[in-house]
Amino acid sequence: MTKGLNIVSPVGDKIDWDCQELKEKFPRSKQDIEGPIPKPQECLLLIDGKVVKSDQNPTEVHTPIITQDRPDEHISIGKFEMASEEQAMRALEAAERSYMYGRGTWAKMSIDQRCKHMEEFANDLEKKTEEIAQLLMWEICKNVKDAHDEVTRTVAYIHTAVKEARALAEGESRFHEQKGIMCQIRHLPVGVVLASSPFNYPLNEAYTTFIPALLMGNSVIVRAPRNGATPHFPTLELFARHFPPGTIQLLTGSGREVMGALVATGRIDAVAFIGTASSAKGLLKGASNPQRLRVMYEGEAKDAAIILPDADLGVAVDSCASGMTSFNGQRCTAIKMIWVHQSQAEEFLKRLAEKIDALKLGMPWDESVKITPLCEDSKPAYVKELIVDALNKGAHIVNNGGKCYKTLCTLSILAPVNKHMKIWTEEQFGPVTPVAVYTDVQEPIDYVSRSEYGLQSAVFGYSEELLGRVVDALSYHVGRININAPDQRGPDVFPFTGRGNSALGILNATEGLKFFSVPTMVAAKSEDERSVKALKALNDGPHCRVVYGAK
Ligand code: G3H
């Protein structure tokens, strides 16, 4: 019993990190596994238009899926190269050679020509959906549907970016006249762009940044994450086929070493980093030209859901459950804190617990499975640490949670949580969700306002007065407020951004095209007839590729 609330833990607040019931969810033996285990692959890098097999410093990739007969054995599904500083410098030199101060083949192409290359690449990428989805499923354990969705969403994103790039070029192909100045403005590339992605969207979130960068004529270096490197391997031959040498390089290995070495040269013009605030801080500290480094960043979050007194509990429970469990809570937009009004707390917790406990745990190839094994080796221990800490400070496990076997953990709901618990502020990024109970809506408003993060919030309820107050207050702290719906990045055409340690810059195709380019003017005085005539001649003739096509 908790003060004023009747909270009963169905598991008696006991945790079981050697849960035999969960052990049985794993295949009995390798022979029992459905579908082929991807074969150990070679370490691949892409440098200067060549797919390089490099085995200087290989690191084994193992799947988080174990077997009941050999639970301590890691099943290898490949390896990746811990790229050296020397390899990073070779990638940089290739990118610089290809860009060649804007005179390289790719940079010189019109946007329309680049779009054609990109469309052909996207069509070939689509043909590899199954192969890439299998690697995502085995390496990071996205369930089969989400693994396919990541590839499909990426292909769709490329087509959207192509459409937006064409619209940008079309919109720029006109002369402007203002206060005696006649000009044309073109978005031109910034130079060499460095992009990285996190393990939860290893493919998609790399592409959301480097595709707009490529379309604008930049040369790019991509660093694949340690968990999630192999899904990139089937794409390398496609890049080599569809883009001029040096336009894109792909490196694997330590972000600190590879990206750190590159940023320290002062020869990177823009960096798109998706990861933690502390790694971003470390990376940027080492930048030798921070004053001119363009930074796009997306970091951690602690998205809160606020259940108002008049919320429809059916809607709130369904939305919170999906926001908490999608990819086991390993999304920046996952709901990582729930605030429920005291008047609805008991009923909400009961219904949320029922909903979560009904979800199927198991192996990612089973289409009905929602909760899958965790791919970060240290995550189960961290989840346990958060639960134990909360239990010691007065929370209860209010569902059939608190269980784990090796990499597979149940989702645990903890309530009521308070500010003394680690889970109050730390981003769990995994299967455990805290619920706080409030009496005055100012409490969750203060929680969100004082947080160092500011990605999104979800608010459940219909009262105009309360909704208005919450929306107004939170709008200055997060990038998106979802009314009676869970948090999410999509649709990808909308601006995805945030505040504080959660984001800097906007992650979508339209804004990406602008971010990785400089609006450059070619201008003459309107009264200077000879110069205006010369400018127009550039536009009409074959000698200038920047000024062209103006009506
Ligand atoms: O992990 C962070 C992602 O940007 C979240 O994207 O809301 O589409 O899952 P999503």
Side-chain angles (χ1 to χ4, degrees), residues 366-384:
D366 177 344
E367 285 179 14
S368 57
V369 157
K370 186 77 187 162
I371 307 286
T372 56
L374 303 170
C375 71
E376 288 180 295
D377 291 340
S378 58
K379 191 52 71 70
Y382 179 57
V383 169
K384 180 180 177 189

Side-chain angles (χ1 to χ4, degrees), residues 153 198 200-201 204-205 274 298-299 326 330-334 336 429 455-456 487-490 492 496 507:
R153 179 179 186 176
N200 65 335
Y201 277 105
N204 180 267
E205 288 205 331
I274 304 179
E298 202 226 305
S326 177
Q330 302 168 115
R331 291 160 61 234
C332 56
T333 47
K336 301 198 182 96
F429 217 75
L455 196 61
Q456 297 190 9
D487 300 358
Q488 60 176 39
R489 174 162 44 122
D492 291 338
F496 178 58
L507 213 68

